[in-house]
Amino acid sequence: ETGVTQSPTHLIKTRGQQVTLRCSSQSGHNTVSWYQQALGQGPQFIFQYYREEENGRGNFPPRFSGLQFPNYSSELNVNALELDDSALYLCASTDGGLQYFGAGTRLSVL
Amino acid sequence: GIQVEQSPPDLILQEGANSTLRCNFSDSVNNLQWFHQNPWGQLINLFYIPSGTKQNGRLSATTVATERYSLLYISSSQTTDSGVYFCAPRGGATNKLIFGTGTLLAVQP
């Protein structure tokens, strides 16, 4: 049990739509990171939030955006969905340098 | 950025066998984690090991930071060990973990 929960577990969207994925981490974990994992690949870093501010970003376009809230929950928003956005999206919270991952949201874009 | 290579890419074992998984990374790191991803996608922390050796039951890990590699040892493998094993070093100021493509392990009864 990592203490990180994500919702929904599965989601199907069509190209061009927008999607919001949610993550809830443990109290006191001030840093949350989001990763995208395509089939057969390792997770790729999207961005990181610390105390509600983005403070690190991977090689993802601006249509990937996020929010972090004071209650240790966070969101990943993706606009104008493309077929290649189909992937497992993972949220991780950090405690003492160790990252704990949620079970992920599997997004399918048709 | 840091490049991560894991070997072997695939491994098939009989239950009870031992194995060594290797992770090479291209630059200095200040953190390294090993994960097991189960068939449902959950990443399970195995070790936080920026340097040195740690053991947890049948698993142990060694990181030689000066030579830029880490090893994960699995002894007396069980079918529940099946899945993908990732090493993920971290470098730089953020918590960004760099994942390799993993080692897919299948343990047969």
Side-chain angles (χ1 to χ4, degrees), chain A residues 2 31 33 35 37 40-43 45 48 55-56 88 90 94 96-103 106, chain B residues 31 33 35 37 39-45 47-48 86 90 93-102:
Chain A
T2 66
T31 302
S33 306
Y35 293 79
Q37 186 177 16
Q41 302 295 316
F45 176 78
Q48 171 184 294
N55 73 339
L88 179 67
L90 296 161
T94 301
L98 198 60
Q99 290 198 31
Y100 297 91
F101 282 81
R106 195 166 297 277
Chain B
N31 183 1
Q33 289 183 244
F35 295 92
Q37 189 166 42
W40 297 271
Q42 175 75 60
L43 279 168
I44 300 163
N45 283 296
F47 293 101
Y48 166 71
F86 289 103
R90 186 190 86 192
T94 71
N95 287 314
K96 172 184 177 180
L97 293 177
I98 310 298
F99 286 81
T101 52

Side-chain angles (χ1 to χ4, degrees), chain A residues 85-96:
Chain A
D85 295 334
S86 295
L88 179 67
Y89 288 85
L90 296 161
C91 165
S93 70
T94 301
D95 180 29

Side-chain angles (χ1 to χ4, degrees), chain A residues 43-61:
Chain A
Q44 300 292 312
F45 176 78
I46 303 175
F47 46 56
Q48 171 184 294
Y49 278 77
Y50 175 71
R51 295 187 174 179
E52 304 166 47
E53 297 285 334
E54 182 181 306
N55 73 339
R57 190 175 186 93
N59 189 25
F60 281 82

